[in-house]
Short mmCIF file of all heavy atoms in Angstrom, two decimals:
data_model
loop_
_atom_site.label_atom_id
_atom_site.label_comp_id
_atom_site.label_asym_id
_atom_site.label_seq_id
_atom_site.Cartn_x
_atom_site.Cartn_y
_atom_site.Cartn_z
N MET T 161 6.34 -44.82 -86.46
CA MET T 161 7.29 -44.97 -85.37
C MET T 161 7.45 -46.46 -85.13
O MET T 161 6.50 -47.20 -84.98
CB MET T 161 6.78 -44.27 -84.14
CG MET T 161 7.70 -44.41 -82.97
SD MET T 161 7.16 -43.52 -81.45
CE MET T 161 7.57 -41.88 -81.91
N ARG T 162 8.73 -46.92 -85.00
CA ARG T 162 8.99 -48.32 -84.70
C ARG T 162 8.78 -48.55 -83.21
O ARG T 162 8.93 -47.64 -82.39
CB ARG T 162 10.44 -48.62 -85.04
CG ARG T 162 10.66 -48.57 -86.61
CD ARG T 162 12.07 -48.58 -86.94
NE ARG T 162 12.57 -47.19 -86.82
CZ ARG T 162 13.60 -46.72 -87.41
NH1 ARG T 162 14.38 -47.51 -88.12
NH2 ARG T 162 13.94 -45.47 -87.32
N SER T 163 8.44 -49.80 -82.90
CA SER T 163 8.10 -50.12 -81.49
C SER T 163 9.23 -49.76 -80.54
O SER T 163 8.97 -49.32 -79.42
CB SER T 163 7.71 -51.60 -81.40
OG SER T 163 8.77 -52.39 -81.72
N TRP T 164 10.50 -50.02 -80.94
CA TRP T 164 11.54 -49.78 -80.00
C TRP T 164 11.78 -48.27 -79.72
O TRP T 164 12.31 -47.82 -78.73
CB TRP T 164 12.87 -50.41 -80.44
CG TRP T 164 13.38 -49.85 -81.75
CD1 TRP T 164 13.15 -50.35 -83.01
CD2 TRP T 164 14.23 -48.71 -81.96
NE1 TRP T 164 13.78 -49.58 -83.98
CE2 TRP T 164 14.45 -48.60 -83.35
CE3 TRP T 164 14.81 -47.81 -81.13
CZ2 TRP T 164 15.21 -47.55 -83.89
CZ3 TRP T 164 15.56 -46.80 -81.65
CH2 TRP T 164 15.77 -46.66 -83.05
N GLU T 165 11.28 -47.40 -80.66
CA GLU T 165 11.47 -45.95 -80.46
C GLU T 165 10.55 -45.41 -79.33
O GLU T 165 10.75 -44.32 -78.87
CB GLU T 165 11.14 -45.25 -81.78
CG GLU T 165 12.17 -45.43 -82.84
CD GLU T 165 11.82 -44.81 -84.19
OE1 GLU T 165 10.65 -44.95 -84.64
OE2 GLU T 165 12.75 -44.15 -84.70
N LYS T 166 9.52 -46.20 -78.94
CA LYS T 166 8.61 -45.78 -77.86
C LYS T 166 9.22 -46.10 -76.53
O LYS T 166 8.68 -45.67 -75.51
CB LYS T 166 7.29 -46.44 -78.07
CG LYS T 166 6.57 -46.16 -79.34
CD LYS T 166 5.34 -46.96 -79.46
CE LYS T 166 4.68 -46.74 -80.81
NZ LYS T 166 3.49 -47.61 -81.00
N LEU T 167 10.30 -46.91 -76.49
CA LEU T 167 10.88 -47.35 -75.22
C LEU T 167 11.79 -46.30 -74.66
O LEU T 167 12.45 -45.55 -75.40
CB LEU T 167 11.63 -48.64 -75.38
CG LEU T 167 10.85 -49.86 -75.85
CD1 LEU T 167 11.79 -51.03 -76.12
CD2 LEU T 167 9.80 -50.23 -74.84
N ASP T 168 11.80 -46.22 -73.37
CA ASP T 168 12.69 -45.27 -72.66
C ASP T 168 13.62 -46.07 -71.76
O ASP T 168 13.16 -47.02 -71.08
CB ASP T 168 11.79 -44.33 -71.81
CG ASP T 168 12.62 -43.34 -71.01
OD1 ASP T 168 12.91 -42.23 -71.56
OD2 ASP T 168 12.99 -43.65 -69.86
N ILE T 169 14.86 -45.74 -71.70
CA ILE T 169 15.83 -46.54 -70.91
C ILE T 169 15.46 -46.57 -69.42
O ILE T 169 15.69 -47.59 -68.77
CB ILE T 169 17.28 -46.05 -71.18
CG1 ILE T 169 18.26 -47.10 -70.70
CG2 ILE T 169 17.49 -44.70 -70.51
CD1 ILE T 169 19.65 -46.90 -71.29
N THR T 170 14.88 -45.51 -68.93
CA THR T 170 14.45 -45.50 -67.49
C THR T 170 13.39 -46.53 -67.29
O THR T 170 13.43 -47.28 -66.32
CB THR T 170 13.91 -44.14 -67.13
OG1 THR T 170 14.91 -43.13 -67.42
CG2 THR T 170 13.53 -44.04 -65.66
N ASP T 171 12.44 -46.67 -68.17
CA ASP T 171 11.34 -47.64 -68.07
C ASP T 171 11.93 -49.07 -68.12
O ASP T 171 11.49 -49.97 -67.37
CB ASP T 171 10.32 -47.46 -69.15
CG ASP T 171 9.54 -46.14 -68.99
OD1 ASP T 171 9.45 -45.63 -67.90
OD2 ASP T 171 9.06 -45.60 -70.00
N ILE T 172 12.94 -49.25 -68.97
CA ILE T 172 13.53 -50.57 -69.14
C ILE T 172 14.23 -50.98 -67.84
O ILE T 172 14.08 -52.08 -67.32
CB ILE T 172 14.49 -50.59 -70.34
CG1 ILE T 172 13.72 -50.44 -71.63
CG2 ILE T 172 15.35 -51.87 -70.31
CD1 ILE T 172 14.57 -50.21 -72.85
N LEU T 173 15.00 -50.00 -67.30
CA LEU T 173 15.73 -50.33 -66.03
C LEU T 173 14.76 -50.54 -64.86
O LEU T 173 14.98 -51.41 -64.06
CB LEU T 173 16.73 -49.24 -65.71
CG LEU T 173 18.04 -49.32 -66.49
CD1 LEU T 173 18.95 -48.12 -66.14
CD2 LEU T 173 18.79 -50.62 -66.16
N LYS T 174 13.68 -49.77 -64.81
CA LYS T 174 12.67 -49.98 -63.74
C LYS T 174 12.06 -51.36 -63.91
O LYS T 174 11.84 -52.05 -62.87
CB LYS T 174 11.65 -48.91 -63.83
CG LYS T 174 12.11 -47.60 -63.25
CD LYS T 174 10.96 -46.52 -63.31
CE LYS T 174 11.41 -45.22 -62.75
NZ LYS T 174 10.34 -44.21 -62.83
N GLU T 175 11.75 -51.77 -65.13
CA GLU T 175 11.16 -53.10 -65.37
C GLU T 175 12.16 -54.19 -64.91
O GLU T 175 11.83 -55.15 -64.25
CB GLU T 175 10.82 -53.30 -66.87
CG GLU T 175 10.25 -54.66 -67.15
CD GLU T 175 10.01 -54.81 -68.63
OE1 GLU T 175 9.94 -53.80 -69.38
OE2 GLU T 175 9.90 -55.96 -69.07
N TYR T 176 13.48 -54.06 -65.31
CA TYR T 176 14.46 -54.99 -64.95
C TYR T 176 14.61 -55.01 -63.45
O TYR T 176 14.83 -56.12 -62.86
CB TYR T 176 15.77 -54.67 -65.64
CG TYR T 176 15.96 -55.41 -66.91
CD1 TYR T 176 15.18 -55.16 -68.00
CD2 TYR T 176 16.85 -56.52 -67.00
CE1 TYR T 176 15.28 -55.89 -69.18
CE2 TYR T 176 16.97 -57.21 -68.17
CZ TYR T 176 16.21 -56.91 -69.25
OH TYR T 176 16.29 -57.62 -70.38
N HIS T 177 14.59 -53.83 -62.82
CA HIS T 177 14.74 -53.79 -61.33
C HIS T 177 13.57 -54.57 -60.66
O HIS T 177 13.83 -55.39 -59.74
CB HIS T 177 14.73 -52.38 -60.86
CG HIS T 177 14.83 -52.27 -59.38
ND1 HIS T 177 16.02 -52.48 -58.67
CD2 HIS T 177 13.95 -51.91 -58.42
CE1 HIS T 177 15.84 -52.33 -57.40
NE2 HIS T 177 14.58 -51.97 -57.23
N GLY T 178 12.36 -54.41 -61.17
CA GLY T 178 11.22 -55.15 -60.59
C GLY T 178 11.38 -56.61 -60.84
O GLY T 178 11.14 -57.43 -59.92
N GLN T 179 11.81 -57.05 -62.04
CA GLN T 179 12.07 -58.49 -62.30
C GLN T 179 13.18 -59.00 -61.41
O GLN T 179 13.12 -60.18 -60.96
CB GLN T 179 12.39 -58.69 -63.78
CG GLN T 179 11.15 -58.35 -64.67
CD GLN T 179 11.54 -58.30 -66.10
OE1 GLN T 179 12.67 -58.07 -66.52
NE2 GLN T 179 10.51 -58.44 -66.96
N LEU T 180 14.20 -58.22 -61.16
CA LEU T 180 15.31 -58.66 -60.31
C LEU T 180 14.83 -58.82 -58.89
O LEU T 180 15.20 -59.83 -58.25
CB LEU T 180 16.47 -57.64 -60.39
CG LEU T 180 17.69 -57.93 -59.56
CD1 LEU T 180 18.33 -59.28 -59.99
CD2 LEU T 180 18.73 -56.79 -59.75
N VAL T 181 13.99 -57.96 -58.39
CA VAL T 181 13.46 -58.09 -57.06
C VAL T 181 12.66 -59.39 -56.96
O VAL T 181 12.78 -60.15 -55.97
CB VAL T 181 12.61 -56.84 -56.65
CG1 VAL T 181 11.81 -57.10 -55.37
CG2 VAL T 181 13.54 -55.65 -56.49
N GLN T 182 11.83 -59.63 -57.97
CA GLN T 182 11.00 -60.85 -57.93
C GLN T 182 11.90 -62.06 -57.99
O GLN T 182 11.67 -63.02 -57.23
CB GLN T 182 10.00 -60.86 -59.13
CG GLN T 182 9.16 -62.07 -59.16
CD GLN T 182 8.15 -62.08 -60.32
OE1 GLN T 182 8.12 -61.10 -61.07
NE2 GLN T 182 7.40 -63.12 -60.45
N ALA T 183 12.87 -62.06 -58.89
CA ALA T 183 13.82 -63.22 -59.00
C ALA T 183 14.57 -63.41 -57.67
O ALA T 183 14.78 -64.55 -57.27
CB ALA T 183 14.75 -63.01 -60.16
N SER T 184 14.92 -62.36 -57.02
CA SER T 184 15.65 -62.42 -55.75
C SER T 184 14.80 -63.06 -54.66
O SER T 184 15.23 -63.84 -53.87
CB SER T 184 16.16 -61.06 -55.28
OG SER T 184 17.07 -60.52 -56.20
N THR T 185 13.51 -62.68 -54.68
CA THR T 185 12.57 -63.24 -53.72
C THR T 185 12.39 -64.78 -53.95
O THR T 185 12.41 -65.53 -53.02
CB THR T 185 11.20 -62.54 -53.81
OG1 THR T 185 11.39 -61.13 -53.60
CG2 THR T 185 10.19 -63.08 -52.83
N GLU T 186 12.29 -65.11 -55.25
CA GLU T 186 12.19 -66.51 -55.58
C GLU T 186 13.44 -67.27 -55.22
O GLU T 186 13.35 -68.41 -54.75
CB GLU T 186 11.87 -66.70 -57.05
CG GLU T 186 10.48 -66.19 -57.44
CD GLU T 186 10.28 -66.15 -58.99
OE1 GLU T 186 11.17 -66.59 -59.73
OE2 GLU T 186 9.25 -65.68 -59.40
N LEU T 187 14.60 -66.62 -55.36
CA LEU T 187 15.83 -67.25 -55.00
C LEU T 187 15.88 -67.47 -53.49
O LEU T 187 16.34 -68.55 -53.02
CB LEU T 187 17.02 -66.35 -55.37
CG LEU T 187 18.42 -66.86 -55.13
CD1 LEU T 187 18.69 -68.13 -55.84
CD2 LEU T 187 19.42 -65.79 -55.47
N ALA T 188 15.42 -66.55 -52.73
CA ALA T 188 15.40 -66.70 -51.26
C ALA T 188 14.53 -67.89 -50.86
O ALA T 188 14.79 -68.54 -49.81
CB ALA T 188 14.87 -65.42 -50.54
N ASP T 189 13.52 -68.22 -51.71
CA ASP T 189 12.65 -69.38 -51.43
C ASP T 189 13.17 -70.64 -52.07
O ASP T 189 12.43 -71.59 -52.24
CB ASP T 189 11.24 -69.08 -51.91
CG ASP T 189 10.55 -67.95 -51.18
OD1 ASP T 189 10.92 -67.78 -49.98
OD2 ASP T 189 9.71 -67.30 -51.72
N GLY T 190 14.46 -70.65 -52.45
CA GLY T 190 15.05 -71.86 -53.04
C GLY T 190 14.99 -71.84 -54.54
O GLY T 190 15.03 -72.89 -55.22
N GLY T 191 14.85 -70.63 -55.17
CA GLY T 191 14.67 -70.51 -56.58
C GLY T 191 15.91 -70.68 -57.41
O GLY T 191 16.96 -71.14 -56.96
N ASP T 192 15.82 -70.25 -58.65
CA ASP T 192 16.78 -70.45 -59.70
C ASP T 192 17.83 -69.35 -59.76
O ASP T 192 17.54 -68.19 -59.94
CB ASP T 192 16.03 -70.45 -61.02
CG ASP T 192 16.89 -70.54 -62.24
OD1 ASP T 192 18.11 -70.92 -62.13
OD2 ASP T 192 16.43 -70.20 -63.33
N HIS T 193 19.11 -69.69 -59.53
CA HIS T 193 20.21 -68.72 -59.58
C HIS T 193 20.37 -68.10 -60.99
O HIS T 193 20.67 -66.89 -61.09
CB HIS T 193 21.54 -69.36 -59.14
CG HIS T 193 21.61 -69.57 -57.72
ND1 HIS T 193 22.10 -68.63 -56.82
CD2 HIS T 193 21.24 -70.65 -56.88
CE1 HIS T 193 22.05 -69.10 -55.55
NE2 HIS T 193 21.59 -70.32 -55.61
N GLU T 194 20.21 -68.90 -62.01
CA GLU T 194 20.45 -68.39 -63.33
C GLU T 194 19.40 -67.34 -63.76
O GLU T 194 19.70 -66.38 -64.45
CB GLU T 194 20.42 -69.58 -64.36
CG GLU T 194 21.61 -70.48 -64.21
CD GLU T 194 22.94 -69.75 -64.25
OE1 GLU T 194 23.18 -68.95 -65.15
OE2 GLU T 194 23.81 -70.00 -63.36
N GLY T 195 18.14 -67.48 -63.35
CA GLY T 195 17.16 -66.47 -63.66
C GLY T 195 17.49 -65.14 -63.06
O GLY T 195 17.36 -64.11 -63.69
N TRP T 196 17.95 -65.15 -61.85
CA TRP T 196 18.38 -63.87 -61.16
C TRP T 196 19.53 -63.25 -61.85
O TRP T 196 19.59 -62.08 -62.13
CB TRP T 196 18.74 -64.26 -59.69
CG TRP T 196 19.38 -63.13 -58.98
CD1 TRP T 196 18.79 -62.08 -58.39
CD2 TRP T 196 20.80 -63.01 -58.76
NE1 TRP T 196 19.78 -61.26 -57.86
CE2 TRP T 196 21.00 -61.83 -58.07
CE3 TRP T 196 21.94 -63.77 -59.08
CZ2 TRP T 196 22.25 -61.35 -57.67
CZ3 TRP T 196 23.18 -63.32 -58.68
CH2 TRP T 196 23.31 -62.16 -57.97
N ARG T 197 20.52 -64.04 -62.21
CA ARG T 197 21.72 -63.51 -62.85
C ARG T 197 21.44 -62.92 -64.21
O ARG T 197 22.04 -61.90 -64.59
CB ARG T 197 22.82 -64.59 -62.99
CG ARG T 197 23.49 -64.90 -61.70
CD ARG T 197 24.72 -65.81 -61.90
NE ARG T 197 25.23 -66.24 -60.64
CZ ARG T 197 25.03 -67.47 -60.13
NH1 ARG T 197 24.31 -68.33 -60.79
NH2 ARG T 197 25.52 -67.76 -58.95
N GLU T 198 20.50 -63.54 -64.96
CA GLU T 198 20.20 -63.01 -66.27
C GLU T 198 19.70 -61.61 -66.19
O GLU T 198 20.13 -60.68 -66.98
CB GLU T 198 19.17 -63.90 -66.94
CG GLU T 198 18.77 -63.40 -68.31
CD GLU T 198 17.70 -64.30 -69.00
OE1 GLU T 198 17.46 -65.40 -68.52
OE2 GLU T 198 17.07 -63.82 -69.98
N TYR T 199 18.76 -61.31 -65.28
CA TYR T 199 18.22 -59.94 -65.11
C TYR T 199 19.32 -58.99 -64.60
O TYR T 199 19.45 -57.85 -65.09
CB TYR T 199 17.06 -59.94 -64.13
CG TYR T 199 15.86 -60.59 -64.66
CD1 TYR T 199 15.31 -61.70 -64.01
CD2 TYR T 199 15.22 -60.18 -65.84
CE1 TYR T 199 14.20 -62.34 -64.51
CE2 TYR T 199 14.11 -60.82 -66.34
CZ TYR T 199 13.58 -61.93 -65.65
OH TYR T 199 12.44 -62.55 -66.11
N ASP T 200 20.12 -59.43 -63.63
CA ASP T 200 21.13 -58.61 -63.04
C ASP T 200 22.20 -58.24 -64.07
O ASP T 200 22.59 -57.05 -64.20
CB ASP T 200 21.72 -59.30 -61.84
CG ASP T 200 22.56 -58.36 -61.01
OD1 ASP T 200 22.17 -57.24 -60.76
OD2 ASP T 200 23.70 -58.79 -60.59
N ASP T 201 22.62 -59.21 -64.86
CA ASP T 201 23.69 -59.00 -65.86
C ASP T 201 23.25 -57.99 -66.90
O ASP T 201 24.00 -57.09 -67.28
CB ASP T 201 24.09 -60.29 -66.56
CG ASP T 201 24.88 -61.23 -65.66
OD1 ASP T 201 25.23 -60.79 -64.54
OD2 ASP T 201 25.04 -62.38 -66.06
N LYS T 202 21.99 -58.09 -67.39
CA LYS T 202 21.49 -57.13 -68.42
C LYS T 202 21.41 -55.74 -67.85
O LYS T 202 21.79 -54.76 -68.54
CB LYS T 202 20.19 -57.62 -68.96
CG LYS T 202 20.28 -58.86 -69.81
CD LYS T 202 18.97 -59.31 -70.34
CE LYS T 202 19.09 -60.58 -71.15
NZ LYS T 202 17.80 -61.06 -71.64
N ALA T 203 20.93 -55.57 -66.66
CA ALA T 203 20.83 -54.25 -66.05
C ALA T 203 22.20 -53.67 -65.84
O ALA T 203 22.45 -52.47 -66.09
CB ALA T 203 20.09 -54.30 -64.74
N LEU T 204 23.18 -54.52 -65.44
CA LEU T 204 24.56 -53.98 -65.20
C LEU T 204 25.21 -53.56 -66.50
O LEU T 204 26.02 -52.60 -66.50
CB LEU T 204 25.40 -55.09 -64.52
CG LEU T 204 25.03 -55.37 -63.08
CD1 LEU T 204 25.79 -56.57 -62.56
CD2 LEU T 204 25.32 -54.12 -62.19
N VAL T 205 24.92 -54.23 -67.61
CA VAL T 205 25.48 -53.77 -68.91
C VAL T 205 25.05 -52.37 -69.24
O VAL T 205 25.86 -51.54 -69.61
CB VAL T 205 25.10 -54.78 -70.04
CG1 VAL T 205 25.41 -54.20 -71.37
CG2 VAL T 205 25.79 -56.06 -69.85
N ILE T 206 23.76 -52.12 -69.06
CA ILE T 206 23.20 -50.78 -69.35
C ILE T 206 23.79 -49.75 -68.40
O ILE T 206 24.24 -48.69 -68.84
CB ILE T 206 21.66 -50.79 -69.22
CG1 ILE T 206 21.06 -51.67 -70.28
CG2 ILE T 206 21.11 -49.37 -69.32
CD1 ILE T 206 19.55 -51.97 -70.10
N GLU T 207 23.82 -50.08 -67.14
CA GLU T 207 24.38 -49.15 -66.10
C GLU T 207 25.84 -48.86 -66.39
O GLU T 207 26.26 -47.67 -66.28
CB GLU T 207 24.22 -49.74 -64.72
CG GLU T 207 22.72 -49.80 -64.26
CD GLU T 207 22.60 -50.58 -62.95
OE1 GLU T 207 23.55 -50.66 -62.20
OE2 GLU T 207 21.52 -51.06 -62.72
N ASP T 208 26.61 -49.84 -66.67
CA ASP T 208 28.02 -49.64 -66.92
C ASP T 208 28.29 -48.77 -68.15
O ASP T 208 29.09 -47.88 -68.11
CB ASP T 208 28.73 -51.05 -67.12
CG ASP T 208 30.25 -50.88 -67.22
OD1 ASP T 208 30.86 -50.33 -66.24
OD2 ASP T 208 30.76 -51.25 -68.29
N TYR T 209 27.52 -49.03 -69.19
CA TYR T 209 27.65 -48.16 -70.44
C TYR T 209 27.34 -46.72 -70.09
O TYR T 209 28.09 -45.86 -70.49
CB TYR T 209 26.70 -48.75 -71.47
CG TYR T 209 26.60 -47.75 -72.64
CD1 TYR T 209 27.60 -47.63 -73.62
CD2 TYR T 209 25.47 -46.96 -72.76
CE1 TYR T 209 27.45 -46.78 -74.64
CE2 TYR T 209 25.36 -46.04 -73.83
CZ TYR T 209 26.36 -45.97 -74.73
OH TYR T 209 26.25 -45.05 -75.78
N LEU T 210 26.25 -46.51 -69.40
CA LEU T 210 25.89 -45.10 -69.11
C LEU T 210 26.92 -44.46 -68.20
O LEU T 210 27.24 -43.26 -68.40
CB LEU T 210 24.52 -45.05 -68.46
CG LEU T 210 23.37 -45.41 -69.45
CD1 LEU T 210 22.04 -45.55 -68.63
CD2 LEU T 210 23.26 -44.38 -70.55
N GLU T 211 27.45 -45.15 -67.22
CA GLU T 211 28.44 -44.55 -66.33
C GLU T 211 29.71 -44.24 -67.08
O GLU T 211 30.29 -43.14 -66.93
CB GLU T 211 28.69 -45.47 -65.18
CG GLU T 211 27.55 -45.54 -64.15
CD GLU T 211 27.82 -46.55 -63.05
OE1 GLU T 211 28.99 -46.99 -62.84
OE2 GLU T 211 26.84 -46.90 -62.35
N GLU T 212 30.22 -45.21 -67.85
CA GLU T 212 31.50 -45.04 -68.53
C GLU T 212 31.47 -44.08 -69.72
O GLU T 212 32.36 -43.33 -69.94
CB GLU T 212 32.02 -46.40 -69.05
CG GLU T 212 32.32 -47.43 -67.95
CD GLU T 212 33.45 -46.92 -67.02
OE1 GLU T 212 34.42 -46.38 -67.51
OE2 GLU T 212 33.30 -47.14 -65.79
N THR T 213 30.34 -44.10 -70.44
CA THR T 213 30.28 -43.31 -71.69
C THR T 213 29.69 -41.92 -71.45
O THR T 213 30.08 -40.94 -72.14
CB THR T 213 29.40 -44.06 -72.75
OG1 THR T 213 30.03 -45.37 -72.91
CG2 THR T 213 29.45 -43.34 -74.09
N HIS T 214 28.68 -41.85 -70.56
CA HIS T 214 27.94 -40.60 -70.40
C HIS T 214 27.96 -40.00 -68.99
O HIS T 214 27.31 -39.04 -68.76
CB HIS T 214 26.49 -40.82 -70.82
CG HIS T 214 26.35 -41.28 -72.23
ND1 HIS T 214 26.50 -40.42 -73.31
CD2 HIS T 214 26.06 -42.49 -72.78
CE1 HIS T 214 26.34 -41.11 -74.43
NE2 HIS T 214 26.03 -42.34 -74.10
N SER T 215 28.80 -40.58 -68.13
CA SER T 215 28.90 -40.11 -66.72
C SER T 215 27.52 -39.97 -66.07
O SER T 215 27.22 -39.03 -65.34
CB SER T 215 29.62 -38.74 -66.66
OG SER T 215 30.91 -38.89 -67.15
N VAL T 216 26.68 -40.97 -66.28
CA VAL T 216 25.34 -41.03 -65.71
C VAL T 216 25.23 -42.23 -64.87
O VAL T 216 25.52 -43.34 -65.29
CB VAL T 216 24.25 -41.05 -66.81
CG1 VAL T 216 22.89 -41.22 -66.23
CG2 VAL T 216 24.32 -39.81 -67.69
N GLU T 217 24.86 -42.07 -63.56
CA GLU T 217 24.70 -43.18 -62.69
C GLU T 217 23.25 -43.48 -62.44
O GLU T 217 22.40 -42.59 -62.21
CB GLU T 217 25.40 -42.82 -61.33
CG GLU T 217 25.31 -43.94 -60.36
CD GLU T 217 26.04 -43.56 -59.04
OE1 GLU T 217 26.69 -42.58 -58.97
OE2 GLU T 217 25.83 -44.34 -58.10
N TRP T 218 22.86 -44.74 -62.39
CA TRP T 218 21.53 -45.26 -62.13
C TRP T 218 21.50 -45.55 -60.62
O TRP T 218 22.30 -46.37 -60.11
CB TRP T 218 21.24 -46.48 -62.95
CG TRP T 218 19.94 -47.08 -62.62
CD1 TRP T 218 19.75 -48.32 -61.94
CD2 TRP T 218 18.64 -46.62 -62.91
NE1 TRP T 218 18.40 -48.57 -61.86
CE2 TRP T 218 17.73 -47.56 -62.41
CE3 TRP T 218 18.17 -45.47 -63.57
CZ2 TRP T 218 16.31 -47.42 -62.59
CZ3 TRP T 218 16.79 -45.34 -63.70
CH2 TRP T 218 15.88 -46.27 -63.20
N ASP T 219 20.58 -44.92 -59.83
CA ASP T 219 20.56 -45.17 -58.46
C ASP T 219 19.37 -46.14 -58.07
O ASP T 219 19.12 -46.29 -56.88
CB ASP T 219 20.45 -43.87 -57.63
CG ASP T 219 19.11 -43.21 -57.73
OD1 ASP T 219 18.19 -43.69 -58.48
OD2 ASP T 219 18.87 -42.19 -56.99
N GLY T 220 18.82 -46.77 -59.04
CA GLY T 220 17.74 -47.74 -58.76
C GLY T 220 16.38 -47.15 -59.00
O GLY T 220 15.37 -47.89 -59.19
N ILE T 221 16.32 -45.78 -59.08
CA ILE T 221 15.07 -45.09 -59.31
C ILE T 221 15.18 -44.11 -60.43
O ILE T 221 14.31 -43.94 -61.27
CB ILE T 221 14.55 -44.40 -58.05
CG1 ILE T 221 14.33 -45.44 -56.90
CG2 ILE T 221 13.33 -43.61 -58.29
CD1 ILE T 221 14.02 -44.86 -55.57
N LYS T 222 16.29 -43.43 -60.46
CA LYS T 222 16.49 -42.35 -61.43
C LYS T 222 17.98 -42.34 -61.82
O LYS T 222 18.81 -42.90 -61.19
CB LYS T 222 16.03 -41.03 -60.89
CG LYS T 222 16.81 -40.55 -59.72
CD LYS T 222 16.22 -39.32 -59.09
CE LYS T 222 16.91 -38.89 -57.82
NZ LYS T 222 16.88 -39.80 -56.73
N PHE T 223 18.27 -41.56 -62.91
CA PHE T 223 19.64 -41.32 -63.35
C PHE T 223 20.17 -40.05 -62.69
O PHE T 223 19.46 -39.06 -62.51
CB PHE T 223 19.70 -41.15 -64.85
CG PHE T 223 19.38 -42.38 -65.60
CD1 PHE T 223 18.19 -42.56 -66.25
CD2 PHE T 223 20.34 -43.40 -65.71
CE1 PHE T 223 17.90 -43.70 -66.95
CE2 PHE T 223 20.08 -44.57 -66.43
CZ PHE T 223 18.84 -44.72 -67.05
N ILE T 224 21.41 -40.08 -62.31
CA ILE T 224 22.11 -38.94 -61.68
C ILE T 224 23.36 -38.64 -62.55
O ILE T 224 24.19 -39.56 -62.81
CB ILE T 224 22.54 -39.28 -60.28
CG1 ILE T 224 21.31 -39.64 -59.40
CG2 ILE T 224 23.30 -38.10 -59.64
CD1 ILE T 224 21.69 -40.18 -58.01
N LYS T 225 23.42 -37.41 -63.01
CA LYS T 225 24.60 -36.96 -63.80
C LYS T 225 25.80 -36.73 -62.86
O LYS T 225 25.69 -36.01 -61.87
CB LYS T 225 24.28 -35.69 -64.51
CG LYS T 225 25.33 -35.20 -65.43
CD LYS T 225 25.46 -36.02 -66.68
CE LYS T 225 26.47 -35.43 -67.64
NZ LYS T 225 26.84 -36.30 -68.73
N GLN T 226 26.89 -37.41 -63.14
CA GLN T 226 28.10 -37.28 -62.35
C GLN T 226 28.98 -36.18 -62.96
O GLN T 226 29.01 -36.05 -64.14
CB GLN T 226 28.85 -38.59 -62.28
CG GLN T 226 28.11 -39.74 -61.70
CD GLN T 226 28.93 -41.06 -61.80
OE1 GLN T 226 29.80 -41.15 -62.57
NE2 GLN T 226 28.49 -42.05 -61.08
N GLU T 227 29.76 -35.55 -62.11
CA GLU T 227 30.74 -34.60 -62.58
C GLU T 227 31.90 -35.40 -63.18
O GLU T 227 32.25 -36.49 -62.69
CB GLU T 227 31.23 -33.70 -61.45
CG GLU T 227 30.24 -32.74 -60.98
CD GLU T 227 30.82 -31.73 -59.98
OE1 GLU T 227 32.03 -31.40 -60.14
OE2 GLU T 227 30.10 -31.33 -59.07
N LYS T 228 32.52 -34.88 -64.23
CA LYS T 228 33.61 -35.54 -64.83
C LYS T 228 34.77 -35.59 -63.79
O LYS T 228 35.04 -34.66 -63.11
CB LYS T 228 34.10 -34.77 -66.07
CG LYS T 228 33.12 -34.78 -67.21
CD LYS T 228 33.30 -36.03 -68.03
CE LYS T 228 32.35 -35.98 -69.21
NZ LYS T 228 32.41 -37.16 -69.98
N LYS T 229 35.44 -36.75 -63.77
CA LYS T 229 36.60 -36.97 -62.89
C LYS T 229 37.74 -36.07 -63.35
O LYS T 229 38.01 -35.95 -64.56
CB LYS T 229 36.99 -38.40 -62.81
CG LYS T 229 35.94 -39.26 -62.16
CD LYS T 229 36.34 -40.71 -62.16
CE LYS T 229 35.21 -41.53 -61.57
NZ LYS T 229 35.46 -42.95 -61.67
N GLY T 230 38.40 -35.44 -62.41
CA GLY T 230 39.61 -34.61 -62.75
C GLY T 230 39.21 -33.18 -62.94
O GLY T 230 40.04 -32.36 -63.23
N ASN T 231 37.93 -32.80 -62.76
CA ASN T 231 37.48 -31.41 -62.91
C ASN T 231 37.28 -30.74 -61.55
O ASN T 231 36.86 -31.29 -60.64
CB ASN T 231 36.20 -31.29 -63.73
CG ASN T 231 36.42 -31.58 -65.16
OD1 ASN T 231 37.54 -31.59 -65.65
ND2 ASN T 231 35.35 -31.90 -65.90
#
């Protein structure tokens, strides 16, 4: 099994969320704006893909399946 096959998208988003919270805390203390944006942008790419392609919304803790629009 390849190392990336052991990864789960939920775990990745939870890790990114934790890193985003830490970066936001550092930002509040006068930290680096770019560090915060890097984590946020990557998480948003994953979230947008899942919402647009699979009708799955990330609520910060878990994925929620959305009903198809127009049904």
Side-chain angles (χ1 to χ4, degrees):
M161 178 178 284
R162 292 169 276 203
S163 62
W164 63 267
E165 291 176 314
K166 297 176 189 176
L167 297 175
D168 180 90
I169 197 163
T170 304
D171 295 333
I172 293 168
L173 280 177
K174 284 181 180 179
E175 178 184 343
Y176 265 70
H177 178 72
Q179 292 169 338
L180 181 58
V181 168
Q182 181 179 356
S184 296
T185 301
E186 291 171 4
L187 180 63
D189 293 333
D192 173 21
H193 284 271
E194 291 307 313
W196 168 80
R197 284 191 188 102
E198 181 182 342
Y199 292 120
D200 193 43
D201 289 350
K202 289 179 181 178
L204 288 172
V205 167
I206 295 169
E207 292 172 23
D208 186 60
Y209 168 77
L210 291 172
E211 288 177 15
E212 296 297 320
T213 307
H214 300 286
S215 299
V216 174
E217 181 179 349
W218 174 252
D219 74 354
I221 299 172
K222 62 185 176 300
F223 291 104
I224 300 170
K225 183 73 174 170
Q226 299 174 343
E227 290 187 33
K228 293 275 185 184
K229 294 178 183 174
N231 289 342

